[in-house]
Amino acid sequence: MASKDGPTHKLSRRSFLKLVGGAGALGATLGMAGCGETAPSDRAAGAQGWMPSQYNVPAGWPVQVRGRVAIAPDNPSITRDSEKCILCGQCVEVCKNVQSVFDNYELPFKEEIICIHCGQCTHWCPSGAITEVDETDKVLRAIDDPDKFVVVQMAPSTRVGLGEEFGFPVGRNVERLQYAALYELGFDAVFDTNFSADLTIMEEGSELVRRVLGVNEHDGHENNTLPQFTSCCPGWVKFVEYYYPDLIEHLSSAKSPQQMTGPLYKTYYAEINGIDPRKIFSVSIMPCTAKKFEAARPEMNSASRLKGDPDISPDVDVVLTVRELARLIKRRGINFNDLTEVDCDKIMGEYTGAGAIFGATGGVMEAAVRSAYYLITGEQPPPGLWELTNVRGLDGVKEAAVNIPGAGEVKVCVVSGLANARAVMDRVRAGDRSYAFIEVMACPSGCQYGGGQPRSSSPPSDEVRTERTAALYQIDREAKLRNSHDNPAIIALYDNYLEEPGSELAEFLLHTSYTSRADKLTVKRIQEPTLI
Amino acid sequence: MANELTAGKTFGALVDIPRCIGCESCSVACKLYNGLEWEAERKYLTPEDRAVEPNKGLWPEDWTSITQYNPEKDGARTIRFVKNQCFHCDDPACVSACFSKAFQKMPEGPVIYDQSLCVGCRYCMLACPFDIIKYEWGKAIPGCRKCQMCAPRVAQGEAPACVSVCPTGALFYGEKDQVLAEAKRRIAENGYIDHVFGEREAGGTSWFYISDVPFAAMRFRTDVTTKPLPSYTKSYMAATPVVGIGWAAVLAGLYIYNNKGKDHLD
Ligand code: SF4
Ligand code: SF4
Ligand code: SF4
Ligand code: SF4
Ligand code: SF4
């Protein structure tokens, strides 16, 4: 039956005849009604649909997982098409048991729905109901605006994911095709976040060395708190702000790679090329939905603050996930597979193997150890530090001990997945100071299976994780330079602009501070035991 | 029909407002189980949008809805979500207003609607004190639509679809006296406002609400009488039986006339 109201209730021939018949014999109907005949429950309206069988059990019976996560309409990262939702409970499963976010608070909520924006639920949702918030229109508008100079950066793990959207095997590195696609889309300059990752290592590594030596200062006060935590994962950072606000001092003040180069495009790059920073629109391609949240943090406008110019837009204007980039390429009718490989803009695109492995769990740690060795000893790290196998692999918690002359044995820890982080954090909170440096990524196995990467299986599979991770280490192995501090573009950046890691200007543009979100939730009174 | 789990029992449900996270699993479950349509213009309404709609987001294809309010609690703005649906009154005004018995109160609790008995007079809509019933104005064969408390599930001893999916325990279901006892236990345990909305409103209902912020701050109808409503409608109907039946016959006739000759078949 088609009507102008669109697809309406399918009224079967039988029920229609029943209806007309009943109404036609009007007297009889009214008479029947008058007799007070009780309609049985199965003549009630509705009940013509379907429910997952887990719910078709007597009331009060246990059901493994119920319902779905709550997503605030103003969540900057994820959204949901409820029409596709089948109430399977997979999002609750990952949010609660893998990320230890859902249900890790007392109800009622205070002023917001608790979410750290990791986007893992977009991978677990079997029906594709939960997705990233699509911002491709904003980027197309900027590209089509002749007044805007649109720059783009692409994160380490995006190149080992994007190919899957165009039929390449899992884990194929399509870096140079991706650069080409970005130019083809009309971006005015294409940069590589691998460069930014090298820069992060310089700032974060120097900070670590200063903390170890007891001379670190940030925001006008001494902060030599150890262990130092990585701060490049915005999901993890928000998790600390919610659940471990007392450990905020442990977080490195260094911004994430995305947020380090964001302001540099609007300052350093703009100055070199004589571009009005007010015209620069900065886009980043990320494997991550939490990066959308990070870019929208109000303090992420250092370029505008440095120049004292409110007309300079936020350091990163729009974040697109890899899935959105694929959509953009398809929307613009670009045949990805036929593109000719090109290079990106080298001034902020040159990178080392150390920057490339940021996308794998343990990668930041490995890169940091290489440069920390150099910063402490003044000597190049031994090749043994180029294969720190203890911190590689898919395990949720990994440890290593590194001998650095002058600093002795340095113990480090690498965590991915926030339920795993909880276990380690509880030890730190209890006073465990055995580690000097702890790397945490919210997404299990790191950014290569971040919440914005192609959905290759639902839930995510270790096979795909292993392939993508292997591709990242391959880049490192084949790189000419493997230490961040050897990156000539980084050296030039310090020589020509920032002076040295931790300089006043570097502090202003490349470091940040964090806010406790303790008042946004009531931490659960009884902590459930977490897995390790 | 009732089975050995449900025979002779009356059921009820509790909405524990502070425990609701606004996930809308309940309203999705209602759509899934009842086969209700997703209408493009309403699909992306937010709980805050619905909270300012006159009908709180209840439409013919939306039998339950979540609304969001931002009341103050201890001096700070806070968020609270409220699930809306038919209250399934003990002595329902809709049932007594419906002379053709399209509305019926089931012994297990649900107040159901059987479209095959409906003549389209819409007295039920006028009678309902909570403005729950929605008429399908745009439909060729319109009916009155509202939550049925998943009567077939309830009759079999299953919880209503919405209750069965709630991930937080904000919805609780069981025999009515147990549900009331649970409501009072939760009020005492959490220091909620000492009022079970629905216990006495409209003469008592099957859906109860408890809250830590005043009900009036969340558009609850706090002026509703505690006297069973049919005691009013019955006297009204008794005084005008001929007019009532006569008018209904006209409406029913018009209804048949209007739908005659239209092809609504599959
Ligand atoms: S984005 Fe992460 S924290 Fe937010 S609901 Fe999804 S899984 Fe949970
Ligand atoms: S995982 Fe997706 S389909 Fe399943 S309950 Fe969550 S949103 Fe719905
Ligand atoms: S709330 Fe309204 S529709 Fe529901 S049973 Fe009561 S009177 Fe009838
Ligand atoms: S009881 Fe059934 S019909 Fe009523 S709101 Fe819940 S799911 Fe919908
Ligand atoms: S399912 Fe439960 S928690 Fe979710 S919106 Fe409905 S009542 Fe609230």
Side-chain angles (χ1 to χ4, degrees), chain B residues 180 183-184 187 194-201 208-210:
Chain B
L180 257 178
K184 288 177 179 163
I187 286 176
D194 191 14
H195 180 181
V196 180
F197 192 98
E199 184 180 11
R200 300 184 55 225
E201 279 75 10
F208 307 118
Y209 289 77
I210 51 176

Side-chain angles (χ1 to χ4, degrees), chain A residues 236-295:
Chain A
W236 153 242
V237 167
K238 197 179 187 200
F239 183 82
V240 173
E241 292 176 325
Y242 272 143
Y243 293 106
Y244 296 94
D246 50 312
L247 303 184
I248 276 181
E249 293 276 274
H250 291 260
L251 278 174
S252 163
S253 66
K255 286 181 182 170
S256 72
Q258 157 176 287
Q259 294 303 143
M260 283 207 172
T261 38
L264 287 178
Y265 303 141
K266 298 185 182 190
T267 53
Y268 174 63
Y269 181 79
E271 279 167 38
I272 291 179
N273 292 279
I275 302 167
D276 179 353
R278 281 173 291 198
K279 292 190 172 168
I280 296 185
F281 189 90
S282 136
V283 177
S284 58
I285 311 298
M286 292 286 138
C288 175
T289 48
K291 288 280 162 192
K292 289 177 185 273
F293 165 79
E294 180 183 48

Side-chain angles (χ1 to χ4, degrees), chain B residues 144-172:
Chain B
C144 299
R145 314 268 287 171
K146 72 162 193 75
C147 157
Q148 306 286 302
M149 202 166 156
C150 299
R153 290 178 64 94
V154 166
Q156 281 171 50
E158 294 173 8
C162 53
V163 176
S164 72
V165 302
C166 178
T168 66
L171 302 180
F172 178 83

